[in-house]
Amino acid sequence: MTTTHSRPPGPKGNSAALIIQRLFDSLRPNVETNRESFMLTMAEWPKIYGDQVYYHFFPMHMYMFSHPDDIHDILVKQADKFHKSTFYKQILSRFLGNGMLISDGEFWKRQRKLAQPAFHHKRIVSYADTMVRYTERMMAGWQHGQVIDAADAMMKLTLAIVGKTLFDADVDAEAKTVGEAMEVIQHTSTHSANALIALPDWVPTAQNRERRRAVAALDAIVMRMIRERRESGEDKGDLLSMLLLAVDEQDGTGMTDQQARDEALTLFLAGHETTSNALAWTWYLLGEHPEAEARLHAELDRVLAGRAPTMADLKDLPYTEQVIKESMRLYPPAPGFSRQVIEAVEIGGCTVPKGASVFIFSYAVHRDERWFPNPLAFQPERWTPEFEKGLPKYAYFPFGGGPRICIGNSFAMMETQLVLATMAQRFQLKLVPGQEIVPEALITLRPRNGVQVELIERQPAAAPADHSAVMMP
């Protein structure tokens, strides 16, 4: 049946070619596809077709929105007309179950309400010491001149931090297992999303077997945490206790182990993966921009003078925060996300039919010259209070927005600042020359092949002059 609503312009000619490419890739499960090229191609679409783009990947009808007003409409004003994409759910549920990242409706509201207290401001403040202590513990094993993969180091660090703060668990021994499992899950899930047909999990393909092994490895870790806490019956006041001791107000029942597993695994993985990527990209950008790195060192030396940072210090480290904001602008940890329309909705004059999907590509919006002059440049100093005040509400949204804004956004921002401050005053992470660092758009935005750096030990010294209050235009 022919639809009567008018569609925005889009890559109609290219859609068929992209569909063929997806089919071709789906038949080659081990191929290393050029995902960064596809991402960069999509980033050009708003420039070519405008802020509203229609494209069709059978069987999905996709509407890409890039104007902050339209994004605000989708995420906030009309959020009740959207659910998480069914296709997206089918893929992620294979390892996350029905956790709050992919659930909807009343169930999602209940689960989020149960977990929210673990991320209240007072509790987050109590995590600060652990974040700094674990960072210092990591650096205790570092040597001047040593070469490391900063992306891998950040993954292990943020995994340890989330394990201790939210689950009171020591997961250092499992860091390698989790890292390998996440690598498998990211690649197999992205492959399923790019394929024309996502084969059911029970089909005995090599990819499905690989994914099941990865999920089993993660389940063993999370279910061990749940079993030990159930047996002790101890209320440690952390996220895991909140999940296990929660009681439904209506029927008086608590969470099953499976429900607790789904929520714990969701927050366990999301709580470290995005933060580790944000830090990895930050080290890359600082390595590429020595003048910004020098200014960061000067601020840390002036404010901290060699001592460990605390939560109270963050207000006096504005440039440290600016560096992180600019890093997440250029390389948002989650480069884009979709929603499925549960009833026909009008967005910016465009009618999106029920069942279609909308796509919001933060990677492209964050690089729009209308909101960010010289958008491809790394300029932390652009993040003045005046600049932020004049920025459209949803021109910058590294943590999403609306009712489904990332539950751990404050946790992640504080962690990133404290880790950066702790590390940067002790070490310079100098990029190893000759490596090609490119973004790989999986579920999250990773630097493909990591970020190889040489550790240069430094001694904090008083800055020769205080330039921290001078903001470049």
Side-chain angles (χ1 to χ4, degrees):
M1 184 175 68
T2 305
T3 55
T4 57
H5 69 282
S6 60
R7 291 168 174 162
K12 294 181 178 62
N14 294 335
S15 293
L18 290 170
I19 289 170
I20 293 170
Q21 183 62 50
R22 285 188 170 201
L23 177 60
F24 181 64
D25 289 341
S26 71
L27 298 174
R28 304 168 65 206
N30 296 318
V31 71
E32 187 60 59
T33 56
N34 197 3
R35 298 183 188 90
E36 68 274 13
S37 295
F38 181 63
M39 182 178 69
L40 293 175
T41 297
M42 289 190 70
E44 293 298 311
W45 287 356
K47 300 176 186 176
I48 299 170
Y49 305 108
D51 288 325
Q52 299 177 353
V53 179
Y54 169 80
Y55 57 106
H56 181 205
F57 289 144
F58 180 83
M60 296 180 292
H61 296 271
M62 303 291 296
Y63 292 75
M64 178 176 171
F65 291 92
S66 300
H67 195 282
D69 293 346
D70 293 345
I71 296 169
H72 180 262
D73 219 8
I74 295 166
L75 298 183
V76 182
K77 292 175 66 177
Q78 302 195 70
D80 60 335
K81 296 180 181 178
F82 299 90
H83 276 177
K84 285 298 183 79
S85 165
T86 301
F87 190 64
Y88 184 74
K89 286 182 181 181
Q90 289 172 347
I91 293 168
L92 294 188
S93 64
R94 293 180 177 185
F95 65 96
L96 292 181
N98 196 31
M100 70 178 73
L101 182 66
I102 56 179
S103 58
D104 280 305
E106 291 303 316
F107 180 79
W108 168 78
K109 291 179 182 177
R110 173 184 181 270
Q111 298 300 92
R112 182 158 178 130
K113 183 179 179 181
L114 293 177
Q116 191 68 61
F119 298 96
H120 285 167
H121 178 72
K122 287 184 178 179
R123 184 162 298 279
I124 287 176
V125 170
S126 71
Y127 302 148
D129 289 345
T130 299
M131 294 171 176
V132 173
R133 187 171 73 253
Y134 273 54
T135 306
E136 291 181 322
R137 186 183 69 173
M138 173 190 68
M139 293 190 299
W142 287 2
Q143 300 292 328
H144 176 79
Q146 181 182 355
V147 173
I148 66 167
D149 179 357
D152 182 64
M154 294 303 95
M155 185 278 291
K156 291 176 180 175
L157 173 62
T158 57
L159 181 68
I161 288 173
V162 77
K164 183 63 178 176
T165 55
L166 299 185
F167 302 96
D168 193 31
D170 185 352
V171 294
D172 283 359
E174 287 105 348
K176 185 172 185 291
T177 299
V178 173
E180 291 174 350
M182 278 303 298
E183 188 77 15
V184 169
I185 287 169
Q186 290 250 29
H187 281 89
T188 58
S189 297
T190 301
H191 178 269
S192 295
N194 286 337
L196 273 178
I197 300 173
L199 294 175
D201 203 36
W202 54 264
V203 177
T205 64
Q207 188 181 90
N208 279 344
R209 288 194 296 269
E210 192 177 18
R211 177 170 45 231
R212 283 197 292 270
R213 284 194 295 269
V215 171
L218 294 174
D219 276 351
I221 297 169
V222 173
M223 294 305 289
R224 186 201 76 221
M225 296 179 191
I226 292 173
R227 183 180 64 254
E228 291 175 351
R229 190 66 60 87
R230 290 274 198 208
E231 290 173 353
S232 72
E234 188 178 359
D235 180 3
K236 297 190 176 183
D238 58 7
L239 173 67
L240 186 56
S241 287
M242 290 174 191
L243 294 176
L244 297 182
L245 297 174
V247 175
D248 190 289
E249 296 176 356
Q250 295 183 346
D251 59 21
T253 62
M255 276 194 197
T256 65
D257 281 359
Q258 183 62 41
Q259 285 177 306
R261 174 266 183 206
D262 292 350
E263 299 301 349
L265 186 58
T266 296
L267 293 165
F268 183 57
L269 298 181
H272 93 277
E273 171 73 19
T274 52
T275 306
S276 67
N277 288 335
L279 284 163
W281 286 116
T282 299
W283 293 121
Y284 162 67
L285 289 166
L286 288 171
E288 287 279 288
H289 299 84
E291 71 290 344
E293 182 184 55
R295 184 170 174 178
L296 173 67
H297 289 158
E299 177 179 84
L300 296 174
D301 291 350
R302 177 178 54 80
V303 175
L304 301 177
R307 64 174 174 81
T310 66
M311 179 70 177
D313 290 316
L314 296 185
K315 68 181 185 304
D316 298 319
L317 298 172
Y319 192 70
T320 304
E321 182 180 13
Q322 289 173 317
V323 165
I324 294 165
K325 286 182 176 179
E326 182 72 345
S327 173
M328 290 196 296
R329 180 187 71 81
L330 286 167
Y331 297 101
F337 50 91
S338 63
R339 296 283 190 271
Q340 190 159 16
V341 181
I342 59 174
E343 61 179 272
V345 61
E346 183 175 311
I347 304 294
C350 172
T351 300
V352 184
K354 178 181 178 180
S357 292
V358 299
F359 181 63
I360 299 172
F361 196 22
S362 51
Y363 179 89
V365 179
H366 287 186
R367 292 166 175 245
D368 192 321
E369 62 184 2
R370 290 175 296 179
W371 327 122
F372 302 98
N374 197 8
L376 300 185
F378 177 64
Q379 296 178 342
E381 59 276 2
R382 78 168 81 232
W383 290 97
T384 65
E386 295 75 22
F387 174 77
E388 292 198 55
K389 186 177 180 180
L391 196 63
K393 177 70 173 176
Y394 279 91
Y396 180 73
F397 47 103
F399 298 107
R404 300 201 69 135
I405 191 171
C406 173
I407 194 172
N409 60 337
S410 297
F411 178 99
M413 196 65 193
M414 182 183 76
E415 179 184 9
T416 310
Q417 291 178 76
L418 288 171
V419 169
L420 179 60
T422 305
M423 289 177 60
Q425 70 165 336
R426 284 273 314 279
F427 285 94
Q428 175 192 13
L429 276 63
K430 183 179 179 182
L431 290 176
V432 173
Q435 61 181 314
E436 183 182 13
I437 299 175
V438 294
E440 184 176 33
L442 301 171
I443 299 171
T444 57
L445 188 61
R446 291 176 159 196
R448 177 179 288 174
N449 302 322
V451 181
Q452 302 298 317
V453 297
E454 180 184 1
L455 301 175
I456 308 298
E457 194 167 5
R458 60 183 302 272
Q459 295 296 324
D466 183 5
H467 301 292
S468 61
V470 180
M471 300 297 181
M472 293 172 63

